[in-house]
Amino acid sequence: MTANKRQTSFKLSKKLDKALDLYQQVPYRIATASNLLALDRDANVKHITHLDTRAIRVLLNIGSYGPINAADIAYQTRLDPYSVTRAINGLLKEGLIQAANDHSTSRSKFVELSEAGTPIYQNIASYMAKRCEDVLDGISDEEQTLLMTVLEKIELNTERMLAQNAQTLKDNGGTPTRDQSEQIRWFKRTQKQSK
């Protein structure tokens, strides 16, 4: 059954005057795809590693962009800093990552893959590349380029919206959560980098 057939299988409620057609809501459709793409739903990922989804995402970022610190991983993945720090501590405990020596003057602790973590990263990265091919099957190079451009714009617009909402809450005397405060910081960082 295609998404279009799934859409026609579900009729909008007649009990409400203006029922929201979720199939026409881009954020809803992205969230649906994201739910399907969650690493912990993929049996092959579970076969490759015992790590949970958060730890896998952090390990992938360390392998791809390391040496890297927790703040940069949080910004890159949009995971909350507390979750990133917990994942880093778990990966350090398992010996899959280690402190990086070449950033000793920095206040932030930089980490990189350890010798034990490198083959795990390589196995996951190899599978992720294959997974990407499967997900993009039948989508032309031109469509993929357009998709990446649109996704970047959606990410930037969403980041701006969330930061503005959190700032409005703060300006009106509310107390943003730690995650909402982080959204404000991420937005400011993105703005600074784009100049």
Side-chain angles (χ1 to χ4, degrees), residues 9 11 31 34 37 40 49 53 57 74 79 91 93 96 103 115 127-128 136 145 165 172:
S9 295
K11 304 294 181 206
S34 178
L37 289 169
D40 59 354
T49 180
T53 299
R57 289 180 68 187
L79 290 169
L91 292 168
K93 189 174 181 179
L96 301 179
H103 288 82
E115 192 173 314
Y127 177 66
M128 294 299 285
L136 296 175
T145 300
N165 292 348
N172 290 330

Side-chain angles (χ1 to χ4, degrees), residues 2 4 28 39 61 79 84 109 113 119 123 125 132 142 166 189:
T2 66
N4 189 36
Y28 179 83
L39 294 174
N61 271 265
L79 290 169
V84 171
K109 180 167 64 171
L113 290 176
N123 285 341
C132 186
E142 183 179 280
R189 180 174 176 180

Side-chain angles (χ1 to χ4, degrees), residues 79-129:
L79 290 169
D80 69 271
Y82 177 73
S83 292
V84 171
T85 300
R86 280 184 48 202
I88 286 174
N89 289 338
L91 292 168
L92 283 166
K93 189 174 181 179
E94 289 199 42
L96 301 179
I97 61 172
Q98 62 193 16
N101 296 325
D102 56 345
H103 288 82
S104 55
T105 59
S106 174
R107 283 182 13 194
S108 299
K109 180 167 64 171
F110 281 73
V111 290
E112 62 190 0
L113 290 176
S114 67
E115 192 173 314
T118 299
I120 293 172
Y121 165 81
Q122 289 170 333
N123 285 341
I124 296 170
S126 176
Y127 177 66
M128 294 299 285

Side-chain angles (χ1 to χ4, degrees), residues 9-179:
S9 295
F10 295 94
K11 304 294 181 206
L12 284 177
S13 174
K14 303 254 190 256
K15 293 186 177 192
L16 298 173
D17 189 25
K18 293 183 180 178
L20 183 63
D21 186 353
L22 297 175
Y23 284 95
Q24 300 306 314
Q25 294 292 311
V26 171
Y28 179 83
R29 295 296 296 273
I30 291 172
T32 301
S34 178
N35 289 339
L36 287 169
L37 289 169
L39 294 174
D40 59 354
R41 295 184 109 177
D42 190 328
N44 287 339
V45 171
K46 292 289 189 186
H47 180 71
I48 293 170
T49 180
H50 68 283
L51 297 174
D52 65 28
T53 299
R54 180 184 57 232
I56 292 170
R57 289 180 68 187
V58 170
L59 183 75
L60 284 169
N61 271 265
I62 293 168
S64 294
Y65 304 110
I68 189 169
N69 64 24
D72 287 340
I73 294 169
Y75 179 70
Q76 171 73 6
T77 61
R78 298 308 202 259
L79 290 169
D80 69 271
Y82 177 73
S83 292
V84 171
T85 300
R86 280 184 48 202
I88 286 174
N89 289 338
L91 292 168
L92 283 166
K93 189 174 181 179
E94 289 199 42
L96 301 179
I97 61 172
Q98 62 193 16
N101 296 325
D102 56 345
H103 288 82
S104 55
T105 59
S106 174
R107 283 182 13 194
S108 299
K109 180 167 64 171
F110 281 73
V111 290
E112 62 190 0
L113 290 176
S114 67
E115 192 173 314
T118 299
I120 293 172
Y121 165 81
Q122 289 170 333
N123 285 341
I124 296 170
S126 176
Y127 177 66
M128 294 299 285
K130 166 72 170 89
R131 191 175 193 247
C132 186
E133 287 176 20
D134 291 343
V135 168
L136 296 175
D137 185 39
I139 300 173
S140 71
D141 289 345
E142 183 179 280
E143 289 171 322
Q144 289 179 42
T145 300
L146 178 60
L147 174 63
M148 295 303 278
T149 300
V150 171
L151 284 174
E152 182 176 1
K153 289 179 181 181
I154 288 171
E155 285 179 29
L156 293 173
N157 289 343
T158 303
E159 180 184 68
R160 183 187 72 243
M161 177 194 67
L162 293 174
Q164 288 172 343
N165 292 348
Q167 188 63 53
T168 299
L169 172 67
K170 189 175 179 181
D171 293 345
N172 290 330
T175 305
T177 64
R178 190 175 6 176
D179 189 46

